[in-house]
Amino acid sequence: MILAILLALSAWLLGFILPWWSLSIPALLLGSRLGKTGWSSFAYGFVGIGGLWLLQTAYIHFVNEGILTTRIAELFSLPHPALVIVITVVAGGLAGGLSTLTGYLFKKAFLHQS
């Protein structure tokens, strides 16, 4: 669980100065240092970034009273604005999970550690 918390915190801080895909930098590093297995690395990366993006999108949704998510849902012909949040969380979770898994697999392949 510490992997997910550290990942969310570091990705949040990097998000202030770098683009959204900068989440892969701490995910790769933390996955290679703290990852125990491939599945757990992916799961903690998914939970860390997915949870972070859930908090951020929920905050944006409630601060602007759902105007932004409603308009994006209309733009993509989605039946409900909450689907915008769900899709965002899944996309962020996949990016975080795959980046963390890549860090773990890099450690296994090139550093000869298990």
Side-chain angles (χ1 to χ4, degrees):
M1 192 53 138
I2 192 76
L3 175 60
I5 294 170
L6 285 174
L7 180 58
L9 182 63
S10 59
W12 178 66
L13 290 173
L14 276 179
F16 286 117
I17 56 173
L18 295 173
W20 72 269
W21 48 263
S22 66
L23 67 90
S24 64
I25 298 167
L28 287 168
L29 295 174
L30 290 170
S32 68
R33 301 296 295 165
L34 300 176
K36 302 291 185 219
T37 66
W39 284 108
S40 70
S41 296
F42 179 82
Y44 285 130
F46 191 95
V47 168
I49 299 299
L52 172 67
W53 284 23
L54 174 65
L55 291 174
Q56 289 178 328
T57 56
Y59 173 77
I60 291 168
H61 176 76
F62 290 119
V63 165
N64 68 24
E65 298 173 355
I67 295 170
L68 181 63
T69 51
T70 302
R71 289 188 179 173
I72 292 174
E74 291 171 358
L75 179 69
F76 288 107
S77 301
L78 296 174
H80 198 275
L83 286 175
V84 173
I85 296 174
V86 171
I87 292 168
T88 302
V89 170
V90 170
L94 285 174
L98 291 174
S99 296
T100 309
L101 176 62
T102 301
Y104 169 76
L105 292 175
F106 179 84
K107 173 181 78 170
K108 256 188 102 131
F110 295 111
L111 301 179
H112 303 294
Q113 295 177 357
S114 54

